[in-house]
Amino acid sequence: MTAIVLIVFGDRIFAARGVPVPPLILQARENVMYYVFMIYFFGSTLSHNMLNSGAFEVAYNGVPVWSKIDAGHLPTWPELMKQFHAAGLPGHTF
């Protein structure tokens, strides 16, 4: 987002600070649509890939109950309830 703001308003921002506009910003200003779309595309791709780790973590009162990364699979309901019970969740015996 900051990169897009610098491309669109960079000349004013740098002028207000009394510093010269970097050549990269000047080049990006010549082809604004291309740079804005590329920043948006790569930014959304990067954020999607960072969020898509396949992790599934469950905790109860700060105690880790299940980790898909450690177990290698998603828990079944009985497995999850057994782990909650072991972590101190009051209730039924599972």
Side-chain angles (χ1 to χ4, degrees), residues 60 63-65 79-89 94:
Y60 173 70
V63 177
V65 174
E79 286 175 322
L80 192 57
M81 290 298 103
K82 183 178 179 182
Q83 293 300 324
F84 271 125
H85 182 66
L89 179 68
F94 302 103

Side-chain angles (χ1 to χ4, degrees), residues 19-39:
V19 295
V21 180
L24 181 62
I25 301 296
L26 293 173
Q27 180 184 357
R29 294 266 317 176
E30 292 174 8
N31 206 348
V32 175
M33 293 302 287
Y34 172 77
Y35 279 91
V36 168
F37 282 125
M38 294 315 312
I39 290 168

Side-chain angles (χ1 to χ4, degrees), residues 10-22:
D11 53 344
R12 295 181 200 150
I13 293 171
F14 288 105
R17 304 219 50 183
V19 295
V21 180

Side-chain angles (χ1 to χ4, degrees), residues 2-87:
T2 304
I4 294 173
V5 170
L6 283 176
I7 290 171
V8 176
F9 300 108
D11 53 344
R12 295 181 200 150
I13 293 171
F14 288 105
R17 304 219 50 183
V19 295
V21 180
L24 181 62
I25 301 296
L26 293 173
Q27 180 184 357
R29 294 266 317 176
E30 292 174 8
N31 206 348
V32 175
M33 293 302 287
Y34 172 77
Y35 279 91
V36 168
F37 282 125
M38 294 315 312
I39 290 168
Y40 176 77
F41 174 75
F42 285 120
S44 65
T45 301
L46 179 65
S47 66
H48 172 74
N49 287 337
M50 290 177 71
L51 292 174
N52 190 14
S53 66
F56 178 77
E57 309 287 321
V58 179
Y60 173 70
N61 283 341
V63 177
V65 174
W66 187 269
S67 170
K68 179 184 170 195
I69 294 172
D70 292 340
H73 64 281
L74 288 171
T76 62
W77 188 253
E79 286 175 322
L80 192 57
M81 290 298 103
K82 183 178 179 182
Q83 293 300 324
F84 271 125
H85 182 66

